[in-house]
Amino acid sequence: MSLHEAWAALRHGGNLLSPVALGALPEPGDPPWALADRLRAALVTFDPDKAEAAALGTLLDTVLEDACGLREGWQKGNALGAADAEKLLDGTVLKPRRRWTGPDGEALVVFTTRATRIGVGRGRRPGAQVAEYLRRRALPLGLLTNGLQWRLVCADPDS
């Protein structure tokens, strides 16, 4: 089974791309050397029950920069200021943990949450907050993670 067939076979609420579109994508190349070891080390170090920013930061670096190949264009930590924050309808001020800007101006904002289950129970609120942030900023995509679960949030102005 190819990577694209595996993705299409997953049970999720709507495909980001149809199986036909996935089939038209080129096959991915070999992963970077020792990527599996780096991912394993980052996951072993990360403890979701402890608020250790460094361990989550290492995991984010490993996944987004090493595995996804988004090495350049990141703003992290203190590089994100008050101008990157948004006051939401519920009064919460939300600021991404990271922001990636691509060579053609495309953007991806990354948010983290301490919710144990994203999108379920109390974990629904962070997803709604990210969607509101994205709509206010006219950004199409954002990423929300607690380190163990990852949710790609798509927010257009109409839905």
Side-chain angles (χ1 to χ4, degrees):
M1 176 182 286
S2 75
L3 178 63
H4 302 308
E5 291 169 336
W7 171 259
L10 288 175
R11 294 184 66 218
H12 42 76
N15 288 332
L16 187 58
L17 294 174
S18 71
V20 172
L22 284 170
L25 292 174
E27 285 295 321
D30 292 332
W33 183 79
L35 177 60
D37 293 334
R38 290 195 309 270
L39 280 170
R40 186 177 301 107
L43 280 169
V44 167
T45 304
F46 175 71
D47 183 354
D49 296 328
K50 296 180 183 174
E52 293 182 28
L56 182 55
T58 300
L59 179 60
L60 289 171
D61 286 343
T62 305
V63 170
L64 298 170
E65 295 177 18
D66 296 342
C68 295
L70 303 174
R71 296 188 188 283
E72 304 294 325
W74 286 104
Q75 289 179 294
K76 306 174 187 176
N78 293 334
L80 294 167
D84 296 296
E86 196 68 49
K87 187 170 185 178
L88 306 179
L89 290 174
D90 66 0
T92 304
V93 176
L94 187 65
K95 183 174 85 168
R97 183 169 174 130
R98 294 166 184 235
R99 178 185 173 98
W100 175 79
T101 305
D104 296 323
E106 61 275 30
L108 176 70
V109 285
V110 179
F111 298 88
T112 58
T113 181
R114 299 224 21 172
T116 55
R117 296 180 65 201
I118 296 175
V120 178
R122 293 179 189 219
R124 294 175 75 176
R125 184 174 181 191
Q129 290 174 329
V130 169
E132 183 180 346
Y133 181 96
L134 294 173
R135 287 188 186 103
R136 287 175 178 261
R137 295 288 173 128
L139 295 170
L141 290 176
L143 185 65
L144 174 63
T145 184
N146 60 9
L148 299 176
Q149 298 175 347
W150 298 70
R151 178 149 309 182
L152 186 62
V153 180
C154 177
D156 62 26
D158 297 330
S159 62

